[in-house]
Amino acid sequence: MLDIALLRKDIQSVATRLQDRGFTLDLARFNELEARRKSLQTETETLQARRNALAKQIGALKSKGEDASAVMAESQGIPARLKLLEEELATVQRAMQELLLAVPNLPHASVPAGKDSDDNVEVRRWSPAGTEPVALPFPPRDHVALGEPLGLDFETAVKLSGARFAMMRGPIARLHRALAQFMLDLQTGEHGYTECYTPYIVNTATLLGTGQLPKFRDDMFWVTKGGESVDENGNPVPREDLYLISTSEITLTNTVRGEIVDAAALPIKLTAHTPCFRSEAGSSGRDTRGMIRQHQFDKVEMVQIVHPDASYDALEQMVGHAEHVLRRLELPYRVVLLCTGDMGFGAAKTYDLEVWLPGQNTYREISSVSNCEAFQARRLQARFRNAQGKPELLHTLNGSGLAVGRALVAVLENYQQADGSVVVPDALRPYMGGADRLIP
């Protein structure tokens, strides 16, 4: 959430920067609410001062033995009016909160302006052979054609759950697990992250904190609890909406919600391997073949919670941590700086890592690493004590380290052989019982 003090100080500048993101700030609504807030607060302060003055006047009149009834009558009418003002101010503040919760983060000055992915800026490329992927000496197959003989089963998944789910058996299931274990070991053993196991179902407050709600409710899967049952005393249990996480960024970042963290504990570096659940609202018809865009997929997430002065160094560091996974797997990739129009809702700056897929003859996103600055921390009220001992908002960062299913796709397509077998990358062989090849 943006700092309301910044909007009050220079709302036109904020609106212009948001326009670069393709977001139009409702200036009329903001100004209307702000004007009403000021009016209510001014009237409240005036009445409070009048109440205090009348109290003194009543005391003075009574001490002189004079009639104070008229003054007392005026004084007695003030509390009711103050109560009405308090209620109306709360309504205005709720409306302002709703408006602000729908406003995305401001882009960092170094983010290129642009409308969509066509305006993103490539930063660098890497492959085991230099910068460009080496062409396979035979017509490449995609991961579906390669994976099905190895245990990748979409037909059963459709029977069990519907489209955009996958079932894995045997060697390909083990390869999927090996990738997740390898990524966790790399992030914890070499990059200093603390491994976490988190809930997969969270409440509304948790999703408000990291920005998935209210804007992205249709992108979530949710369940309800209560509403049709009673407690041990026979009282109705209120209905509560709960949500399946779309990323463990949600749970990891929320660990500091409502906390004042010891500055000496920074940076906090957390990682977790979890399933992720996304309804993919608005993506109808896109990537319907295979594992690229699924309702359920696994991801190893990285989260850093840092001092504001360190967040952009941490961003570059986290991009390197994600790159390290791809380099150890010897998968060609490129790093792309997202433009203003292609960034996620809470991000101030984002890099995408895109892995080369020979079966599609293109690069596809496999990791997104973002600095949210204080945007999430303001919603979370996540703070630390600065050098002056005053609470100050933290900065939060998140990134995939990596998306496991897409890494599986990349391994299948880049390590495929002409006979349909797949060579196991050296880094994964200890997790595969020493196996060096998957054979249909």
Side-chain angles (χ1 to χ4, degrees):
M1 189 163 62
L2 298 184
D3 184 358
I4 194 168
L6 178 61
L7 277 76
R8 289 170 179 164
K9 179 180 178 182
D10 190 1
I11 191 169
Q12 192 57 59
S13 174
V14 172
T16 300
R17 292 174 66 188
L18 289 171
Q19 196 68 51
D20 287 341
R21 295 197 56 149
F23 181 86
T24 301
L25 181 62
D26 191 342
L27 293 173
R29 179 61 171 159
F30 178 86
N31 289 331
E32 174 195 352
L33 291 171
E34 186 63 6
R36 187 58 186 148
R37 177 194 67 83
K38 288 179 180 178
S39 173
L40 290 168
Q41 289 185 335
T42 298
E43 185 178 353
T44 297
E45 290 165 2
T46 300
L47 276 177
Q48 288 170 338
R50 180 61 179 163
R51 179 186 58 191
N52 294 338
L54 290 173
K56 291 180 181 179
Q57 189 177 350
I58 290 167
L61 289 171
K62 286 185 175 181
S63 68
K64 296 175 183 178
E66 298 178 9
D67 181 16
S69 58
V71 180
M72 290 176 66
E74 181 185 353
S75 178
Q76 288 166 356
I78 290 177
R81 178 58 184 162
L82 285 174
K83 179 67 174 175
L84 289 173
L85 290 171
E86 179 185 352
E87 291 171 354
E88 187 174 352
L89 180 60
T91 299
V92 169
Q93 289 172 330
R94 281 194 299 270
M96 181 66 83
Q97 181 81 346
E98 289 174 7
L99 187 153
L100 293 177
L101 286 173
V103 177
N105 203 355
L106 295 176
H108 188 264
S110 62
V111 174
K115 284 180 153 185
D116 52 36
S117 59
D118 291 339
D119 297 317
N120 294 340
V121 176
E122 185 174 313
V123 178
R124 57 184 170 272
R125 293 188 183 196
W126 182 91
S127 86
T131 58
E132 298 301 321
V134 176
L136 296 174
F138 53 86
R141 285 175 269 191
D142 72 3
H143 68 281
V144 177
L146 290 161
E148 286 180 337
L150 297 170
L152 183 57
D153 182 356
F154 294 104
E155 185 176 340
T156 300
V158 168
K159 179 174 71 174
L160 296 174
S161 304
R164 299 202 176 188
F165 288 91
M167 177 98 178
M168 288 178 265
R169 294 185 174 93
I172 204 164
R174 186 171 189 178
L175 182 61
H176 185 267
R177 173 165 57 90
L179 280 161
Q181 289 181 304
F182 162 68
M183 293 173 193
L184 274 178
D185 286 350
L186 185 61
Q187 301 304 351
T188 57
E190 298 188 28
H191 299 152
Y193 291 82
T194 298
E195 182 177 351
C196 301
Y197 174 84
T198 85
Y200 302 159
I201 299 176
V202 295
N203 56 31
T204 298
T206 299
L207 290 168
L208 282 169
T210 42
Q212 282 74 26
L213 291 183
K215 184 174 177 61
F216 299 108
R217 187 174 191 270
D218 288 344
D219 290 322
M220 311 292 295
F221 285 103
W222 68 87
V223 295
T224 57
K225 182 177 73 173
E228 296 182 357
S229 58
V230 295
D231 62 19
E232 61 274 13
N233 298 317
N235 299 314
V237 176
R239 170 178 161 156
E240 180 183 7
D241 284 340
L242 298 169
Y243 298 80
L244 300 176
I245 60 171
S246 55
T247 165
S248 58
E249 167 206 340
I250 294 165
T251 44
L252 296 175
T253 307
N254 267 274
T255 58
V256 293
R257 187 175 83 216
E259 303 286 337
I260 299 179
V261 177
D262 185 348
L266 301 175
I268 297 170
K269 300 166 68 175
L270 306 174
T271 188
H273 166 222
T274 68
C276 304
F277 305 90
R278 299 185 184 180
S279 71
E280 296 292 349
S283 66
S284 178
R286 294 170 57 198
D287 298 316
T288 55
R289 178 175 168 83
M291 295 183 66
I292 294 297
R293 194 175 297 276
Q294 297 270 283
H295 290 316
Q296 175 186 317
F297 61 96
D298 280 37
K299 185 151 64 84
V300 172
E301 185 73 2
M302 307 176 293
V303 161
Q304 289 202 32
I305 298 155
V306 305
H307 190 287
D309 294 345
S311 67
Y312 279 94
D313 287 339
L315 177 63
E316 300 297 329
Q317 180 189 77
M318 289 176 70
V319 173
H321 295 162
E323 286 185 81
H324 194 189
V325 178
L326 292 170
R327 293 194 182 207
R328 289 282 295 275
L329 293 173
E330 299 185 81
L331 295 171
Y333 69 89
R334 65 178 184 174
V335 179
V336 175
L337 175 59
L338 300 196
C339 71
T340 52
D342 200 33
M343 289 195 304
F345 179 76
K349 185 174 182 176
T350 298
Y351 291 100
D352 274 4
L353 274 65
E354 298 178 351
V355 69
W356 175 252
L357 300 181
Q360 297 187 28
N361 194 38
T362 192
Y363 289 95
R364 296 301 300 262
E365 179 197 336
I366 194 168
S367 174
S368 190
V369 186
S370 298
N371 185 358
C372 298
E373 297 184 354
F375 186 82
Q376 291 179 327
R378 186 170 289 107
R379 299 165 78 114
L380 294 162
Q381 280 303 288
R383 298 167 291 170
F384 72 101
R385 292 200 184 276
N386 61 24
Q388 292 72 43
K390 295 181 179 179
E392 182 179 343
L393 292 170
L394 292 155
H395 278 195
T396 63
L397 303 95
N398 64 80
S400 310
L402 304 164
V404 181
R406 292 195 179 191
L408 178 68
V409 169
V411 168
L412 292 175
E413 294 197 9
N414 282 279
Y415 282 88
Q416 64 178 293
Q417 305 299 302
D419 63 0
S421 64
V422 175
V423 172
V424 176
D426 289 342
L428 298 181
R429 292 179 186 179
Y431 302 91
M432 294 289 293
D436 61 1
R437 187 181 294 255
L438 303 185
I439 299 174

